[in-house]
Amino acid sequence: MKNNVKRLFSILSLLILIVITTVKCKKDAEEIVPVVDEPKPTAGFDYAVASPTKFLEYQFTGTSTNYKTLLWQFGDDSTSVAVNPKHVYRFPGKYKVTLTTRNSQGYSAAKEVLLNIVDPNFDPTKIGENYMQTIGGIFSVNLEAGAGPNSDEGSKKLVDGDITTKFLQAGFDGTQRCTFELATPQVVGAYTLTSGNDAEDRDPRYWILQGSLDGIQYTDLHTVTTCPWPAQGERRVTKRYYFDNFVAYKFYRLYIKANRGSRIFQLSEWTINKKQP
């Protein structure tokens, strides 16, 4: 009996030794397998405007190497995984284009380029309604000067391109609305206001720029609640405002809700324009 137990113990010991040796040999064999590094990826590209008449359309040509995947970010929340993508921007402006490449081992590379897209038909020396005159428009107000729109201080002075003239309306009650109806709907992203030539308490203090497709329902686009001109000085001074807008409205309205306390409202000039480059 003792011999059988002893023999069984010897057999079990031998089996355990064989298993341990086999596992260790397998582990040693796995550990000595060499890892070959892949070539590191590079990120590169060229770009060109599609044509002078399509200044918002860009063709990107990739020159990257040693990558498994890539990602384009065009700076306007758009992306692509194409090797040579074509991208059309919606508006002029500055956009950071980033190309990121990655190989199968997780190594990555990136290239960034800042694009400054400018409308070749845009004249930066002109701002506001004077530029919009190229597509026509009709200007109107809900509260007119006592002597009418064509008088020395009538409403038409507000959009005549001359900051030495002004629109003056007596009996201001916080409901002054000045409306510009374009012949063709346009995307507007900037406007200006120019202060009058006399009493500062007549300056607008609280206003809303609004847009409408039909002249009935209006959407608030930009709101100002603090008078931009000081309590004294800065007469006939132009202030520029920019805002985000991606809709081509046919109607744009300046809704004056408050001035500095006078019962008289005055403003030398109001202009609207496309987003500035």
Side-chain angles (χ1 to χ4, degrees):
M1 181 69 179
K2 288 183 179 181
N3 291 334
N4 292 336
V5 172
K6 191 173 182 180
R7 187 178 300 108
L8 178 61
F9 181 77
S10 299
I11 293 172
L12 289 174
S13 299
L14 180 60
L15 289 174
I16 292 172
L17 180 61
I18 293 172
V19 170
I20 293 175
T21 303
T22 302
V23 171
K24 186 176 185 304
C25 290
K26 183 178 181 181
K27 184 177 179 181
D28 291 343
E30 291 176 348
E31 289 178 346
I32 63 174
V33 174
V35 176
V36 178
D37 285 338
E38 296 179 6
K40 299 299 187 295
T42 66
F45 61 89
D46 298 317
Y47 60 91
V49 181
S51 73
T53 59
K54 297 180 179 180
F55 69 94
L56 293 172
E57 184 176 312
Y58 275 71
Q59 175 65 59
F60 296 91
T61 303
T63 59
S64 306
T65 61
N66 306 324
Y67 63 90
K68 183 72 173 180
T69 61
L70 59 78
L71 175 66
W72 295 86
Q73 296 170 287
F74 298 110
D76 61 352
D77 296 328
S78 299
T79 61
S80 175
V81 294
V83 176
N84 303 308
K86 179 180 291 185
H87 185 67
V88 180
Y89 289 92
R90 296 181 64 188
F91 305 102
K94 294 182 179 180
Y95 301 92
K96 184 173 70 173
V97 179
T98 304
L99 171 62
T100 303
T101 59
R102 189 180 303 273
N103 68 8
S104 61
Q105 292 180 326
Y107 291 101
S108 64
K111 177 180 179 178
E112 294 181 353
V113 170
L114 182 64
L115 297 183
N116 185 17
I117 303 176
V118 179
D119 185 345
N121 301 310
F122 178 77
D123 184 351
T125 65
K126 296 179 179 179
I127 183 163
E129 186 269 341
N130 292 331
Y131 182 69
M132 287 297 185
Q133 280 183 346
T134 59
I135 56 172
I138 301 172
F139 178 70
S140 63
V141 297
N142 67 317
L143 299 174
E144 186 57 79
N150 296 309
S151 61
D152 289 342
E153 294 183 337
S155 61
K156 289 190 176 180
K157 301 299 182 183
L158 189 58
V159 291
D160 63 356
D162 184 357
I163 66 170
T164 66
T165 64
K166 72 176 181 181
F167 169 46
L168 185 143
Q169 194 273 321
F172 176 73
D173 62 0
T175 63
Q176 182 69 55
R177 295 186 292 275
C178 308
T179 305
F180 199 80
E181 178 185 354
L182 302 175
T184 304
Q186 295 289 324
V187 175
V188 168
Y191 68 101
T192 72
L193 295 181
T194 303
S195 57
N197 65 323
D198 54 22
E200 289 87 349
D201 61 355
R202 301 175 181 179
D203 292 340
R205 177 181 61 82
Y206 172 20
W207 68 84
I208 305 173
L209 183 76
Q210 302 172 315
S212 174
L213 299 173
D214 57 8
I216 300 173
Q217 298 292 328
Y218 279 85
T219 300
D220 293 350
L221 302 176
H222 188 254
T223 300
V224 175
T225 58
T226 303
C227 186
W229 302 281
Q232 293 183 341
E234 289 202 1
R235 300 298 81 200
R236 293 174 176 165
V237 172
T238 300
K239 301 294 184 179
R240 300 183 180 186
Y241 297 92
Y242 307 95
F243 57 94
D244 290 328
N245 173 40
F246 306 102
V247 179
Y249 291 108
K250 183 176 176 63
F251 298 84
Y252 288 91
R253 184 169 76 181
L254 184 66
Y255 188 175
I256 310 295
K257 299 180 72 69
N259 61 10
R260 278 197 167 115
S262 174
R263 292 287 294 168
I264 300 175
F265 165 76
Q266 70 172 6
L267 194 62
S268 286
E269 197 74 14
W270 170 41
T271 73
I272 60 174
N273 202 357
K274 295 182 178 181
K275 188 178 293 294
Q276 300 304 293

